[in-house]
Amino acid sequence: MAVTATRAKFGVFFLGILGIVLLVIGIAALSLLPIIFNAKLQENLVLQEGKETYEKWKQTPIPVTFKVVLFNITNPAEVVKGKLPSVEEVGPFVFRQYRSKDVLSWDHEDLTVTYNDLKRYEFVEEQSANMSSKIYSLNLPLQGILMFIKKLPYFPRSLIIPGLEGILKNYEEHVFSHRTAKELLFEGYKVDLIQDLVDLASAFVTVPEILPNNTFGFLYGKNNSGDGIFTVYTGLDNIAKYSQIVQWNNMSRIPFWGNEYCNMMNGTDGSQFPPPIQKRDILYVYTPELCRSVSLVFSEDVAVQGIPALRFVTPDYLFESPINNPDNICYCTEKEFCHLSGILDVSPCRKGLKLAVTGPHFYLAHESIQERVHGLKPEREKHETYVDIEPKTGIVLGASRKLQMNFILKSYSEMEDFQNLPFSVVPLLWVTEEAMIDSKNAALFTAKVRTPITIAKSVLTACIVLGILWIVTAGIGTIYILVKEQKTASAVLKSKYKVVPTKADERIKS
């Protein structure tokens, strides 16, 4: 069948209209894609029974490695005489950490869920140092007893101290203990003198429980336990509230700092963040070990198992002294420490025990703190805390959380063995919690989240390109038809109106 001019015009017109339709659909759909994605994300990400993401929220699919490094005091006898402590690392002691959430209740009016955050540990012997290694560490149970006695009025204190010194000699308890790593960590060890001290002090004052089961270990009682009971928003009404903490241990504000600002619990528990995440965002995590919320700021773009992510780190100003960061004035418990950066005295939430948190090896701590302990070498690459977050979903793809627990050591003139102790922030241990999504879950995430978005963008981009191509083709076709019609019309005119001869012989021939 011959292609007539009319059919050609109709074909070009149809191609142009189809190109315009494709172009409009592609641009509109591409513009609406983020809105559609966020709506679908909210539908699937919110905490609601029966959803796949809810099950992964309950049972963390990302494997977590928990590492502990203990500090051995290499010169304990010299420290008792007034010299500064020297330390060496012993470890790491590696554990697999399994996290789960025991859901306790739902509030369908406030759209919150309450759960107990549980952690279980399994020792990884082949990756660890010898658990039988003996370590000189500060005798924390004894320091706890001294903290209690120091707060007593002068009269009962003067009666208790002579008896206490005799009991310490009988039990051979000193400023530093000499215990195995196994005893210092989860297993713990019995502190036999505790009961005698309780009996001695009970004659004068009411004595609170000093140690559970009269047993001490830095991590004693931590296995199969958690950081407390959390209440968080489900995000059902607003994805921006997703996983944000409402209460911790039935408190909407913590009671430790005597200041409304510092007692606020901002952010999440650190396992998830409300999407989307942007580089300019400041993220917050409530950390029970620190008894406060901490902030995270963008550091760099990274890739985790091939998935683009944003790395957020704890900013240098987080533990700055109030002189440099006035927002930290409410965390200053003693004036003598207020000018020091990089240290947080957590004694208000540790029953008065003078424990302090710093970065490992006093990373970012004031030089006067670093100078009073020998054997430490802070390094950003080894000791910085970071979280890698997939920005569209707010899912944590990888993290490395590091902190060091220390004791603020001071002399105590009323007891002979403690009279000459130097002022020092003595390192006890530092821990690392590391997690990174494995290849299986990374592939699943890519297939369910990234691939559909990539395909949708590719299809819509193709629609736009094809639409433009068809419009251009239709335009060229239209021009071609018009030119051809013009030439045809000119030829017809020439055939109808030929040139008349001017000479007589030409007219005759004609």
Side-chain angles (χ1 to χ4, degrees):
M1 186 171 58
V3 178
T4 64
T6 303
R7 284 177 178 169
K9 287 180 181 179
F10 176 77
V12 169
F13 175 77
F14 179 76
L15 187 66
I17 293 298
L18 189 59
I20 292 171
V21 170
L22 278 178
L23 181 62
V24 171
I25 291 175
I27 292 174
L30 199 60
S31 301
L32 293 173
L33 186 62
I35 299 173
I36 297 170
F37 172 77
N38 288 334
K40 193 67 178 176
L41 176 68
Q42 180 170 357
E43 179 185 340
N44 290 287
L45 197 61
V46 294
L47 300 176
Q48 196 171 37
E49 290 179 295
K51 293 188 178 293
E52 182 182 357
T53 50
Y54 168 73
E55 295 303 323
K56 291 183 177 180
W57 172 81
K58 280 184 64 179
Q59 193 80 34
T60 303
I62 299 178
V64 180
T65 300
F66 183 79
K67 299 178 183 178
V68 186
V69 175
L70 294 168
F71 286 104
N72 178 48
I73 307 295
T74 60
N75 60 338
E78 294 177 349
V79 175
V80 174
K81 295 177 182 178
K83 290 193 174 183
L84 294 176
S86 295
V87 300
E88 64 179 5
E89 288 189 350
V90 180
F93 303 96
V94 182
F95 300 84
R96 289 190 185 93
Q97 186 188 86
Y98 299 91
R99 294 186 173 191
S100 62
K101 295 178 174 66
D102 179 22
V103 175
L104 304 176
S105 64
W106 296 84
D107 189 322
H108 298 291
E109 184 176 338
D110 292 335
L111 299 177
T112 62
V113 58
T114 299
Y115 62 90
N116 191 4
D117 182 35
L118 300 176
K119 297 176 182 178
R120 180 171 63 86
Y121 299 87
E122 287 183 1
F123 182 55
V124 185
E125 186 174 2
E126 60 273 17
Q127 298 179 23
S128 302
N130 189 349
M131 273 284 195
S132 298
S133 303
K134 280 214 163 186
I135 294 162
Y136 279 103
S137 183
L138 201 63
N139 191 336
L140 274 196
L142 181 55
Q143 290 295 336
I145 293 166
L146 292 182
M147 289 289 110
F148 171 72
I149 292 174
K150 286 178 182 179
K151 295 177 182 178
L152 295 177
Y154 172 76
F155 178 70
R157 190 171 72 248
S158 63
L159 296 176
I160 290 173
I161 286 176
L164 173 61
E165 290 185 311
I167 291 174
L168 293 181
K169 289 179 181 178
N170 289 337
Y171 282 99
E172 296 184 350
E173 291 286 348
H174 306 286
V175 177
F176 297 98
S177 65
H178 195 212
R179 297 284 178 175
T180 65
K182 190 174 184 179
E183 290 175 310
L184 288 173
L185 295 177
F186 285 100
E187 185 176 278
Y189 61 91
K190 282 281 186 181
V191 184
D192 296 324
L193 67 84
I194 292 293
Q195 193 57 55
D196 283 350
L197 290 176
V198 169
D199 294 340
L200 174 65
S202 295
F204 307 98
V205 293
T206 301
V207 181
E209 182 184 53
I210 297 174
L211 290 175
N213 302 319
N214 292 339
T215 302
F216 172 78
F218 292 125
L219 302 174
Y220 177 74
K222 294 293 185 181
N223 206 352
N224 294 312
S225 68
D227 294 327
I229 296 175
F230 291 83
T231 299
V232 301
Y233 285 114
T234 63
L236 195 59
D237 60 332
N238 185 354
I239 197 66
K241 294 163 63 177
Y242 171 65
S243 71
Q244 295 282 333
I245 293 175
V246 181
Q247 288 186 335
W248 175 71
N249 286 345
N250 298 317
M251 297 180 292
S252 57
R253 291 181 184 272
I254 51 178
F256 306 124
W257 304 108
N259 177 281
E260 185 175 342
Y261 170 76
C262 285
N263 283 334
M264 294 173 65
M265 287 185 288
N266 298 319
T268 71
D269 65 0
S271 61
Q272 175 73 49
F273 296 90
I277 304 297
Q278 298 178 324
K279 294 179 180 180
R280 66 173 180 268
D281 292 339
I282 298 178
L283 308 179
Y284 291 91
V285 176
Y286 176 68
T287 308
E289 295 95 331
L290 301 180
C291 313
R292 61 167 288 186
S293 289
V294 299
S295 58
L296 299 165
V297 297
F298 173 74
S299 172
E300 60 182 321
D301 292 289
V302 296
V304 183
Q305 296 283 17
I307 302 172
L310 304 179
R311 173 163 292 183
F312 282 76
V313 301
T314 50
D316 293 356
Y317 61 76
L318 182 64
F319 295 131
E320 280 276 14
S321 72
I323 298 172
N324 300 322
N325 183 6
D327 289 342
N328 283 338
I329 186 64
C330 44
Y331 296 116
C332 181
T333 55
E334 293 189 29
K335 289 184 178 179
E336 60 183 305
F337 302 129
C338 286
H339 68 287
L340 302 179
S341 295
I343 183 171
L344 177 66
D345 180 0
V346 294
S347 57
C349 60
R350 294 292 185 270
K351 299 180 180 180
L353 194 62
K354 295 301 290 185
L355 293 172
V357 175
T358 65
H361 285 239
F362 295 145
Y363 172 63
L364 295 181
H366 194 277
E367 59 182 14
S368 65
I369 297 174
Q370 297 179 2
E371 290 170 353
R372 301 195 69 77
V373 177
H374 302 308
L376 300 179
K377 186 180 178 182
E379 298 178 42
R380 178 179 291 272
E381 293 76 14
K382 292 182 179 180
H383 303 137
E384 183 178 54
T385 289
Y386 66 83
V387 180
D388 296 334
I389 306 170
E390 200 288 316
K392 292 183 176 63
T393 61
I395 292 174
V396 175
L397 300 177
S400 182
R401 189 175 72 107
K402 306 177 181 77
L403 61 86
Q404 179 172 300
M405 192 63 72
N406 315 271
F407 186 85
I408 302 173
L409 183 65
K410 294 181 180 179
S411 61
Y412 186 37
S413 59
E414 296 183 44
M415 294 188 66
E416 183 178 351
D417 288 346
F418 297 83
Q419 289 177 352
N420 298 316
L421 290 176
F423 166 70
S424 180
V425 180
V426 179
L428 303 173
L429 76 166
W430 71 275
V431 301
T432 301
E433 285 181 322
E434 291 181 331
M436 187 175 74
I437 190 170
D438 55 28
S439 56
K440 179 182 176 181
N441 282 292
L444 188 64
F445 177 86
T446 298
K448 291 195 171 185
V449 179
R450 297 186 67 217
T451 300
I453 296 174
T454 303
I455 292 174
K457 285 184 176 180
S458 299
V459 170
L460 294 175
T461 303
C463 286
I464 293 172
V465 172
L466 194 59
I468 294 172
L469 183 62
W470 285 358
I471 291 171
V472 171
T473 302
I476 293 172
T478 301
I479 293 171
Y480 175 77
I481 291 171
L482 290 175
V483 170
K484 191 172 182 180
E485 284 183 341
Q486 184 66 32
K487 287 182 177 179
T488 302
S490 299
V492 170
L493 287 174
K494 285 181 179 180
S495 66
K496 285 185 178 181
Y497 302 99
K498 292 183 177 180
V499 179
V500 180
T502 55
K503 295 181 180 178
D505 56 345
E506 288 179 349
R507 287 198 297 270
I508 293 170
K509 291 179 180 179
S510 177

